Amino acid sequence: MTNEGQPWVSLVVRKTRLQVSQDPSLNYEYLPMVGMKSFIQASLELLLGKHNQAIVEKRVRHRVKMQGLNLKPTRDRGVNIIITPLSVTSYCLLTGGGVHTVGDSGAFKLGAQFLRTWHRNSQVVCIVSCQKELYGLVFQDMGFIVYEYSIWSPQELCSDPGRFFEVIEHIPADSILVIGNIVDCRLTQSQWAKLMSTIKSKRIFPFFDVPCQGLATGDLEEDVRLLRYFVSLGFEFFCSQSLSKNFGIYDEGVGILVVVTLSNQHLLCVLSQLMSYTQALWLNPPATGARIIASILCNPALLGEW
């Protein structure tokens, strides 16, 4: 924000917006239902690391049953799908992809729709955050039982790990755990290891929120270090990645629903189902915000300036 309380927009974003608006090659055709390929790819690399070995080599090993989903492999109906292998564990390779979504809550709406249909053992959603999160209403609207927990300590003016673990201990098995802005959960490495052990033993499905990567600590890598830790240990999850705030284009609400699975086969199945839901929700996502962001992330000079 500026000193006047207005959104601060960097010069590179203003410059790129102008270049996009004057690009004579644009035909303003509808985007595919999955969204803009270059935007999704660049966003995934920003979130999970561009130089991850699995992305560089684009390898897929082992086919592992996706817990709780039991989807049979299907081919998408002519839809272009982004498939990006993400991270290798000792014995298997996680694969990840994404769907271009609308607004700050679009990814949660899309993810909730999928989980309601295909993760049928999960009736309870537990939202853990330092503030009131509006996407609780999204899960309620989908018929989930929603519990919201604040882990904010007004005395310390930061998150309270003790409250966090107290919540985790009481979460029912087979629940969906939504962690609002993972940077707010300031846990040590050993505490995160304990959390992951609990998630695994209770068969909890994680759904992360990354609303403004880089604005919490000032470091793009540090803000998502714990998310990448989940990837490296072989966890499947959804993640809402919003890119409007960190690029200062609040009027171009844009983001992606990140999907991380244990096999390329299951990633295709999940993305294919998500495509059917986007037809009812928004069909084709808007392009302007995605074009601005993709132009910056895909250009080393603009990225450095940003």
Side-chain angles (χ1 to χ4, degrees):
M1 303 294 286
T2 65
N3 293 332
E4 293 75 30
Q6 298 299 316
W8 182 82
V9 183
S10 69
L11 293 178
V12 67
V13 171
R14 293 185 183 277
K15 177 174 64 177
T16 305
R17 182 193 287 268
L18 183 62
Q19 291 174 346
V20 168
S21 67
Q22 296 176 345
D23 185 352
S25 68
L26 294 180
N27 60 7
Y28 299 97
E29 180 58 276
Y30 289 116
L31 292 179
M33 284 185 291
V34 74
M36 184 180 294
K37 292 182 180 182
S38 58
F39 166 67
I40 297 173
Q41 180 72 21
S43 300
L44 287 171
E45 291 177 355
L46 180 70
L47 185 72
L48 298 165
K50 180 176 182 178
H51 300 293
N52 186 288
Q53 194 66 21
I55 293 180
V56 173
E57 297 184 6
K58 295 187 181 299
R59 293 172 295 150
V60 178
R61 293 180 181 174
H62 301 290
R63 295 183 176 182
V64 183
K65 182 178 179 182
M66 190 172 183
Q67 296 177 358
L69 297 182
N70 298 320
L71 291 177
K72 294 181 179 180
T74 58
R75 289 291 175 185
D76 66 295
R77 295 173 292 280
V79 178
N80 295 319
I81 290 181
I82 304 301
I83 306 166
T84 310
L86 300 181
S87 180
V88 180
T89 64
S90 298
Y91 300 102
C92 65
L93 173 66
L94 282 175
T95 62
V99 178
H100 181 168
T101 57
V102 179
D104 289 336
S105 61
F108 284 103
K109 179 66 176 179
L110 188 59
Q113 184 97 40
F114 178 90
L115 293 171
R116 190 61 179 162
T117 304
W118 293 103
H119 210 273
R120 296 172 185 170
N121 291 336
S122 299
Q123 303 296 322
V124 175
V125 173
C126 297
I127 300 175
V128 180
S129 184
C130 286
Q131 61 185 17
K132 174 69 175 179
E133 301 291 0
L134 297 178
Y135 43 74
L137 300 174
V138 173
F139 288 99
Q140 287 180 359
D141 186 57
M142 292 301 303
F144 288 99
I145 301 169
V146 178
Y147 298 101
E148 300 184 53
Y149 303 93
S150 173
I151 57 173
W152 177 255
S153 171
Q155 292 77 28
E156 301 294 331
L157 298 180
C158 64
S159 61
D160 184 344
R163 293 186 185 184
F164 186 86
F165 279 104
E166 184 179 351
V167 171
I168 298 302
E169 290 297 327
H170 291 88
I171 288 180
D174 297 309
S175 297
I176 298 166
L177 173 63
V178 181
I179 301 180
N181 198 352
I182 57 172
V183 181
D184 288 340
C185 302
R186 304 189 180 189
L187 306 180
T188 64
Q189 194 82 354
S190 61
Q191 288 173 327
W192 278 105
K194 179 181 177 182
L195 170 65
M196 293 174 182
S197 176
T198 303
I199 287 176
K200 187 171 293 186
S201 64
K202 288 189 173 185
R203 302 176 303 279
I204 294 171
F205 186 83
F207 200 142
F208 298 102
D209 181 25
V210 180
C212 47
Q213 182 181 348
L215 296 185
T217 65
D219 188 326
L220 289 168
E221 303 291 320
E222 181 64 22
D223 277 7
V224 292
R225 179 173 59 87
L226 295 172
L227 185 73
R228 295 179 183 181
Y229 187 44
F230 267 81
V231 175
S232 69
L233 292 183
F235 280 85
E236 297 176 305
F237 58 81
F238 282 169
C239 176
S240 169
Q241 180 188 15
S242 176
L243 293 149
S244 300
K245 295 178 183 176
N246 44 4
F247 279 85
I249 47 175
Y250 295 87
D251 61 337
E252 300 284 355
V254 64
I256 67 172
L257 173 63
V258 179
V259 181
V260 176
T261 69
L262 286 177
S263 78
N264 184 58
Q265 182 184 34
H266 286 111
L267 178 63
L268 281 171
C269 294
V270 174
L271 291 178
S272 178
Q273 293 300 317
L274 291 174
M275 290 307 93
S276 66
Y277 301 140
T278 63
Q279 292 182 61
L281 292 172
W282 52 72
L283 188 58
N284 307 98
T288 302
R291 284 197 177 103
I292 295 170
I293 294 169
S295 297
I296 294 173
L297 292 181
C298 296
N299 184 309
L302 297 179
L303 178 59
E305 188 177 345
W306 174 66

